[in-house]
Amino acid sequence: MGKPKICITGSGGLIGSHIARLLRDTMGDRVEIIGVTRHVLDLSVESEVRRWFEKAAPAAVIHCAGITSNPACEADPAMARLLNIDCCRWVFESVPDAWVCHFSTDLVFNGLKGNYREDDPVSPVGIYAETKAEAELIAAVHPHSCIVRTSLNGGVSPTGDRGFNEKLRQAWAAGQSMTLFTDEYRCPLAAEWTAKAVAALLKGRKSGVYHVAGGEKLSRYETAECVAQRWPGLNPQLKRGSIADYDGPPRSPDCSMDCSRITKVLGQPVPGLRQYLDDSPSIVF
Ligand SMILES: NC(=O)c1ccc[n+]([C@@H]2O[C@H](COP(=O)([O-])OP(=O)(O)OC[C@H]3O[C@@H](n4cnc5c(N)ncnc54)[C@H](OP(=O)(O)O)[C@@H]3O)[C@@H](O)[C@H]2O)c1
């Protein structure tokens, strides 16, 4: 009999790639870690998805794939629903005995309250958030599911353009000045820590909902300032903006989350972005 398998969808993306690396480094001798990139399997084709997962029969699935940007979801709501909702159903129904970790977002909340707990009612705003909230209902009926709601993740992604830090850096490198809201708050974190949280949940085969976010609530502007300080050579240009002046789709002003549940599992809080960067001066971010 071969080693038990752990399949990670979206492993070509930011969070999935960090999880795949951490699990290969820490359990690769005992477990086969399979990165289910788009090259391995197109998750938009139901028959292929069901056949692939039934054949693979993994012990665990960590589902990171999806249409993850707000504008992409607004531009093609049908594709957003297919990937973010239907695909979850196909994957989870194909692996009834596996432990499944489903990735969701702090944006399932409308941001009018802040400091959200796992048992606060969801109130999504916009297509992306709505698809993620609906997918949580599918994940929740799986007998061994764990739902991870995370916040703004940064780090180095395989394609170099997925982390919020990478997007900011690209814009500054192109000489663009960025306007960032001083009144929209998230709890940004390094994808490295999201991966650590998932590894701890996997180890304990935890179930239920977990909020996994950085230990400090920061505005979009403050978040960008942290990245800008890392790249003075790019001469980063930041302007202060307000969501009150924004004329696009509605936004969620304060999606900060209470993370005490994952803190107990990890044995320590996930560091806030400023602390993480202070603690890791040589890391590329
Ligand atoms: N990053 C954040 O700040 C953040 C915040 C809150 C929640 N989340 C959630 O966390 C999870 C992971 O996010 P992420 O930032 O790692 O996303 P990401 O970097 O955009 O990665 C998503 C992955 O899904 C893959 N994918 C999309 N369509 C596919 C298809 N038809 N077949 C196979 N693969 C497909 C993408 O492949 P391609 O690269 O080829 O398109 C990509 O590798 C998502 O569920 C997201 O909603 C992320």
Side-chain angles (χ1 to χ4, degrees), residues 211-252:
H211 287 177
V212 175
E216 187 184 15
K217 165 172 141 178
L218 295 176
S219 70
R220 288 270 182 181
Y221 186 86
E222 290 168 324
T223 302
E225 269 186 329
C226 292
V227 183
Q229 281 160 13
R230 227 45 184 199
W231 299 92
L234 293 178
N235 189 24
Q237 299 296 313
L238 278 85
K239 284 190 204 143
R240 293 168 196 273
S242 166
I243 49 174
D245 303 325
Y246 180 68
D247 57 7
R251 303 188 64 98
S252 306

Side-chain angles (χ1 to χ4, degrees), residues 9-17 36-39 41-45 63-69 79 83-84 102-107 128 132 148-154 157-159 161-164 167 186 189 194:
T9 70
S11 60
L14 175 66
I15 295 175
S17 62
V36 190
T37 60
R38 190 188 283 277
H39 303 296
L41 176 66
D42 180 354
L43 289 162
S44 67
V45 184
H63 185 49
C64 301
I67 308 292
T68 57
S69 93
M79 183 51 85
L83 249 295
N84 290 355
H102 171 69
F103 261 87
S104 190
T105 170
D106 53 357
L107 294 174
Y128 169 68
K132 299 301 284 186
V148 169
R149 290 188 190 133
T150 191
S151 183
L152 207 53
N153 274 246
S157 65
T159 47
D161 59 357
R162 300 299 166 97
F164 66 80
K167 289 176 187 155
R186 312 273 295 270
L189 73 163
T194 308

Side-chain angles (χ1 to χ4, degrees), residues 33 63 95 98 113 162 177 192 217 223 237 250 256 258 260:
I33 309 297
H63 185 49
V95 293
K113 178 177 91 72
R162 300 299 166 97
S177 160
E192 182 189 323
K217 165 172 141 178
T223 302
Q237 299 296 313
S256 55
D258 177 327
S260 34

Side-chain angles (χ1 to χ4, degrees), residues 73-87:
C73 291
E74 296 289 335
D76 191 347
M79 183 51 85
R81 290 190 64 82
L82 187 81
L83 249 295
N84 290 355
I85 301 172
D86 299 341
C87 168

